[in-house]
Amino acid sequence: MHSMRVGLSSLAILTQLTTIQVPVFAQSWSESRANSTNDSFPSPVSYIMASEPHVSNPAPTSGPLFPARPFPQHSSYMAGTILPDHVDQEVLDDSVRSFYLAWKKHYLLPGCTDGEKYVWFEGTKGTNICVSEGQGYGMMIVALMAGFDSNAQETYDCLYRFYKSHPSTSSADLMAWTQTKNCRSMDGGTATDGDMDIAYSLLLADAQWGRHSNIPYRQQALQMIAAIRREEINPLTYIVMEADDESPRSKDYFDMRSSDFMPDHIRAFREATGDPFWDTVLDNNYREFRYLQETYSPDAGLVPDFIKDIKVTPVVCGIPAQPNYLESKFDGVYNFNACRVPWRIAADYLVSGDKRAADFLSRLNPWIRSTTQDKPDNISAGYNLSGEDLSHRNYEALCFICPFAVAAMAGGDNQQWLDSLWDYIINFKLKDFDYYDNSIKMIDLIILSGNYWSPAHPDSVATSSR
């Protein structure tokens, strides 16, 4: 939701540590780190992992070295999808590594309790320091960067503990949506997007580290998924709701925030739980998105920030929210929530090959290329559903630009457009934007470089082209 809403001290300690070799990184990264004095991140050749803590269930005595899927993964995406191909793979990876170091240093801050960290909610007025949306972003990012970052598991666990220390009032497994500077939750309500990303990150953590932790990642993921099912999915329509405070008598019970639909997460929840409920969630939300495109944005393929009065029987329907429905006068257009939709849909296509995702992107990609004349600096920070720029939005916003880059990965005819977007995005520095833009950029760089993977798809569905 985008809204208001170790240094070693003795030989004894050394003997308890294990050096694990990981693939040697590109020479360009090695050279760039050669003169660095920052020892808080791993060397390119190996990292040190503390001996496994005691857990109630003993860890397997054999298996892959941990993390199981160290960065870079060079994942195989759906056949026919593309990566930027005008630079070498090691350059793509180095760009991700470099930005991650800056992002982590700037945004991951210690909480008010030892052993906790939060993602700093920078760029807002007032006293809020964290939102569950950002905590979810951070937990996914750190889990995906494990192997490069030797402290990833420790950092992830600190982020996890902050989430657990700030439960919602409806469930101890969901996170209160915002915290103030004294680390107190503003209220006990939730934001569905944050909860879904946190639950997904727990599945990533389980895939990376398994039981090699005193945190039962998979058990916690299953508990959180059950709470999301109970509190944040409409039981009548199976549409993803905005938060946990809706009831059949609530005026927004049949409404949704478009960016809360995360189809690859829903697939992962289905596989983890074995619950066919999630198949219906996936189907009905894709049906709603198709209806919105065909009815309100047939030329541009856009969806609004918020959708009201959703029905799925006897036919699918829903309407864009009116101005000032919840956040601003732009609630019914393609604004700072819906801007994430191309990334979420494209990520699903990359890992699953779902035709519904391909169909969604097949409207969006030709329009954005046409309206910008294939020039990334022409991407506006907001559009109406007809595809016209919102007034006074002629400035760069990475939260709009980066998702269009991920969407461009869907087809080979977008290659030059994708290459231009990559160069444009990489050119911006962390200091140029705030938490929201930079965190979306961080996740999307992982995807764009070919290093995103789903815990629901341990093996590739096909092979991407380069």
Side-chain angles (χ1 to χ4, degrees):
M1 179 185 61
H2 185 65
S3 74
M4 296 177 295
R5 281 226 334 157
V6 272
L8 304 178
S9 59
S10 70
L11 181 62
I13 296 177
L14 278 169
T15 60
Q16 297 176 25
L17 299 172
T18 303
T19 300
I20 298 177
Q21 298 297 317
V22 297
V24 177
F25 296 150
Q27 184 63 30
S28 56
W29 179 257
S30 301
E31 291 171 350
S32 70
R33 295 285 292 158
N35 298 319
S36 174
T37 58
N38 183 352
D39 60 359
S40 61
F41 296 96
S43 71
V45 179
S46 65
Y47 63 89
I48 304 296
M49 176 177 286
S51 58
E52 177 187 329
H54 174 76
V55 293
S56 56
N57 295 319
T61 56
S62 64
L65 297 176
F66 291 126
R69 303 192 66 168
F71 181 92
Q73 274 296 291
H74 301 160
S75 304
S76 293
Y77 294 153
M78 178 63 188
T81 59
I82 57 174
L83 305 182
D85 72 352
H86 64 308
V87 293
D88 293 338
Q89 179 66 58
E90 54 264 34
V91 175
L92 299 179
D93 295 342
D94 282 355
S95 296
V96 179
R97 294 181 182 113
S98 177
F99 194 74
Y100 174 71
L101 293 179
W103 176 89
K104 181 181 180 183
K105 180 178 180 180
H106 190 71
Y107 290 111
L108 299 194
L109 303 181
C112 301
T113 302
D114 288 346
E116 295 184 2
K117 289 182 182 292
Y118 64 90
V119 178
W120 178 33
F121 187 41
E122 175 195 40
T124 60
K125 296 179 180 179
T127 61
N128 295 353
I129 61 167
C130 179
V131 290
S132 61
E133 164 200 271
Q135 203 72 2
Y137 291 164
M139 293 171 75
M140 287 197 302
I141 290 165
V142 171
L144 291 167
M145 293 303 295
F148 165 62
D149 182 352
S150 65
N151 295 321
Q153 186 175 11
E154 177 186 353
T155 300
Y156 181 90
D157 290 356
C158 289
L159 293 167
Y160 166 86
R161 285 189 285 268
F162 187 92
Y163 137 66
K164 290 298 289 183
S165 292
H166 298 87
S168 73
T169 53
S170 64
S171 171
D173 294 307
L174 303 179
M175 185 175 177
W177 77 278
T178 187
Q179 288 71 48
T180 61
K181 63 181 180 181
N182 57 3
C183 297
R184 293 182 181 178
S185 297
M186 178 179 293
D187 60 52
T190 71
T192 302
D193 56 351
D195 289 330
M196 290 187 70
D197 279 337
I198 293 171
Y200 186 78
S201 83
L202 284 162
L203 294 176
L204 292 172
D206 177 66
Q208 286 287 35
W209 302 296
R211 289 179 293 163
H212 288 244
S213 171
N214 57 5
I215 296 173
Y217 300 125
R218 188 169 186 82
Q219 177 184 335
Q220 290 296 318
L222 293 175
Q223 291 176 193
M224 193 170 194
I225 293 167
I228 293 169
R229 184 193 196 281
R230 183 178 64 251
E231 303 290 343
E232 297 175 332
I233 306 296
N234 187 299
L236 302 177
T237 64
Y238 296 83
I239 295 296
V240 181
M241 297 191 296
E242 298 163 9
D244 67 341
D245 57 353
E246 283 89 357
S247 71
R249 289 175 295 193
S250 302
K251 63 180 181 179
D252 52 359
Y253 188 63
F254 293 99
D255 303 350
M256 77 176 297
R257 179 188 298 102
S258 59
S259 54
D260 290 349
F261 178 40
M262 308 172 191
D264 67 328
H265 290 24
I266 292 168
R267 289 182 200 281
F269 297 170
R270 169 64 168 96
E271 182 166 292
T273 62
D275 186 352
F277 171 90
W278 294 106
D279 293 332
T280 308
V281 174
L282 188 69
D283 292 344
N284 282 7
N285 282 273
Y286 261 128
R287 289 171 64 203
E288 179 63 26
F289 272 41
R290 178 178 178 179
Y291 170 82
L292 292 168
Q293 279 192 319
E294 292 179 345
T295 305
Y296 296 104
S297 190
D299 296 325
L302 299 171
V303 294
D305 271 17
F306 295 96
I307 304 101
K308 292 180 54 181
D309 303 332
I310 295 171
K311 295 183 177 66
V312 296
T313 57
V315 296
V316 175
C317 63
I319 60 174
Q322 72 273 17
N324 300 307
Y325 161 81
L326 183 63
E327 296 181 6
S328 77
K329 64 181 181 180
F330 302 108
D331 284 348
V333 300
Y334 186 81
N335 200 39
F336 281 93
N337 285 296
C339 65
R340 296 172 288 186
V341 168
W343 142 41
R344 298 292 193 178
I345 301 297
D348 185 47
Y349 182 62
L350 292 170
V351 300
S352 76
D354 194 311
K355 184 179 183 298
R356 294 168 296 186
D359 290 344
F360 183 92
L361 298 171
S362 70
R363 290 179 185 262
L364 191 69
N365 279 320
W367 164 77
I368 189 61
R369 292 185 56 188
S370 174
T371 196
T372 62
Q373 300 178 318
D374 280 336
K375 296 177 181 179
D377 59 353
N378 284 338
I379 295 175
S380 176
Y383 296 92
N384 64 32
L385 298 186
S386 298
E388 299 161 332
D389 297 9
L390 297 183
S391 60
H392 310 297
R393 292 289 188 91
N394 55 339
Y395 55 83
E396 294 92 353
L398 289 176
C399 58
F400 287 87
I401 299 165
C402 295
F404 282 131
V406 179
M409 300 173 73
D413 59 338
N414 297 321
Q415 188 66 69
Q416 187 173 352
W417 169 237
L418 176 59
D419 293 347
S420 297
L421 282 164
W422 172 268
D423 290 342
Y424 190 64
I425 292 165
I426 289 299
N427 183 60
F428 293 109
K429 307 302 181 185
L430 191 88
K431 64 180 179 60
D432 297 330
F433 295 95
D434 66 9
Y435 133 84
Y436 189 63
D437 290 285
N438 283 323
S439 296
I440 290 174
K441 174 181 175 178
M442 182 69 251
I443 297 170
D444 288 358
L445 285 181
I446 293 172
I447 301 172
L448 290 163
S449 64
N451 289 300
Y452 185 71
W453 50 274
S454 168
H457 295 271
D459 299 313
S460 61
V461 294
T463 303
S464 60
S465 59
R466 271 192 59 76

